[in-house]
Amino acid sequence: MRDVQLARVAEQYGVATSYEDWRGRRVPVDPDVIRHVLAALGADPDREPPDREPDLLPPAVVLREGKAPDPVLPEGVHSTVETADGSLLPFDQGLPLGVHTLRVTHRGTEHDAPLLVVPDRIDPTALRENPRLWGVMTQLYSVRSRASWGIGDLRDLAEISDWSARDLGADFVLINPVHATEPVAPVEPSPYLPVSRRYASPLYIRIEDVPEYSRLDPAQREGIQRLARPLRERGRTADLLDRDAVWEAKRAALEILFQVPRAPGREAALRTYLEREGRPLVEFATWSALAEEYGPDHRTWPAHLRDVTDDAVGRAALDRWPLVEFHRWLQWVLDEQLAQAQTTARMGGMGTGVVHDLAIGVQAGGADAWMFGDALVQGLHVGAPPDEFNSLGQDWGQPPWHPRRLAERGYGPLRQILGQALRHSGGVRIDHIMGLFRLWCVPEGASADQGTYVSFDHEGTVGALLLAARRADAVVIGEDLGTVEPWVRDHLSDRGILGTSVLWFEQGADGSPRPPGDWRTDCLATVATHDLPPVASFLSAEHVELRDRLGLLSRPVEEERADAEARVERWRALLVELGLLEEDADPLADPAAVVTAMHAYLMATPARMVGVALTDVVGERRMQNQPGTSTEYPNWRIPLTNGEGEPVLVDELLADPRMVSRIRRTLGPLGDGHGRTL
């Protein structure tokens, strides 16, 4: 009987009692895991009444544009809608797009709920006007120039965008998340584990592009350049990236620039920005100021400062107001440089421009977790169940959204994050987009395979995404790799959201590569991702040896290596059969020929977008990230290098005609520079 009660309560809260794994097998979930997840969501299955009466209104009501409302209200209920601009309208299909309030009266009692009127689908101009788009994909921090301070920055992004548009005809440049990092060292290296997705990381600021730099006297400029020189010297080597050293130097320089009097027009622009951002920016800046004093995990702060709504937090902010103002100013500088990067991309000829990446979550003690409070669930970690490439599962250490509390807020926290990602971009890639439907949640302290799925009202989460994308006229790409229910991909495609198709995964049940004509159309097609080895490493099976050294294999290394070699051989044979690769080509001796053939293969698919990783273009062999590791491998600290391990700088990409020629040969038809319609 207890099992029946547990299953009933789990169903009410969207907690799965079993799931289908990547092989298609049904896997039951341990009852203790279910209980732990329910407890984290605030449910006690032993105390839930078996005949609880359903609520009159759901936590949020979602209505697709132009569609009649579902019969969510019983007869005899009076309803009206208060729109975002304060108008009162009937609850029907003529409502404008936006977030409104549905008010109902039932048996003399008033009830209300957020009402989201969202697009049925999106049809961005870039995809409507072009049968196919292609672009460059890069981890921005890894692509340095002679002028940047040891890691790639937003000026480097602007120059990469302009170069790839003008010289190669690229339509977009897809980068890693540039979300906010800790205000004090140590700085988390993973761009997918930020303290906030609402704001950006000052690590990406180009110091010399801050207008106040030109107002410094010579001695002050020389002082700032003394900070930069050792970082630039290190940036010309293949040494691992050192974010802590970069931030320490940039922080010192930015403090100097913050003190420089701003011209009247600049001051007015700052005040306009601060007014637009309002309270969320004050809260983020307050968290940053407090984090400098108490550390970046708000759960360890004095008790009276852990709740953002406590009056003590406001008093603490006033006591530290100059520091709060500094952190607000940093976000303004970032906003300006993000805008300039997108403007440069578009002026270079890109129809889409910069495509930003949205991480799946944030640190449990970070700014978003503090600002959004109980909309995020403490005690659970988001991750992924075991799959073909990660047989032990994955724990990403991030708290999931609380399905009901997020909906009760009209998906406001999610809408804030999406709006920021799309403010200065032509598109957004949603990491692990299945998280808008369900998330694999692991009890804190358990192994990654001991979790279960928690479901969301996808009409609300996807609707919030489409609302932001429609307003920005942006392309949306969903990373839908791994364990995905087929109907999810169908739903996303129907709503105008592209998926992600990766060459190495496009194969039949027998392991044979999928013919290019069998690929789906609504996707971004790539050879690999940032979580997979570059082509040169895949061809040599170096990635197998690496995972063996790190203890990540669940079977003998000989079996894993044999499988990897067989996969490479099957792809080599298909590329030869299609006439894309010479029959006697040796993938180990000439990986560049295989890279060229693979991208020609991608061009033969019907995919609407094709992405080319800069790492594959220059012959990089090292992985940016090895899933399943933290300190065992230098994840997210690998600078861009060529096949010989020599650093590749932005300056070389821009100025060396041999490099441009090599890239064009590698890209084949993609690199002919004859425009964006392929």
Side-chain angles (χ1 to χ4, degrees), residues 44-168:
D44 183 347
D46 297 324
R47 294 180 179 272
E48 289 281 333
D51 54 353
R52 188 180 64 150
E53 188 172 328
D55 296 330
L56 178 66
L57 290 175
V61 178
V62 182
L63 181 63
R64 295 199 198 183
E65 182 182 23
K67 305 291 185 182
D70 288 332
V72 296
L73 302 177
E75 289 186 22
V77 173
H78 174 72
S79 66
T80 188
V81 173
E82 182 179 342
T83 65
D85 64 4
S87 303
L88 297 179
L89 298 174
F91 182 41
D92 60 25
Q93 64 188 45
L95 291 166
L97 286 174
V99 182
H100 316 299
T101 302
L102 174 62
R103 303 192 187 283
V104 303
T105 303
H106 181 56
R107 296 175 182 172
T109 303
E110 292 187 355
H111 306 264
D112 60 45
L115 169 64
L116 279 71
V117 182
V118 304
D120 188 44
R121 65 173 283 119
I122 54 173
D123 186 20
T125 302
L127 288 174
R128 193 167 62 249
E129 295 182 348
N130 296 277
R132 170 174 287 164
L133 310 174
W134 86 270
V136 173
M137 306 185 301
T138 188
Q139 298 290 302
L140 176 59
Y141 56 84
S142 73
V143 189
R144 304 153 304 166
S145 64
R146 289 188 176 89
S148 53
W149 292 31
I151 66 169
D153 59 30
L154 292 171
R155 165 66 79 84
D156 293 327
L157 171 60
E159 294 185 345
I160 291 170
S161 301
D162 184 71
W163 162 77
S164 58
R166 294 182 188 275
D167 286 12
L168 300 175

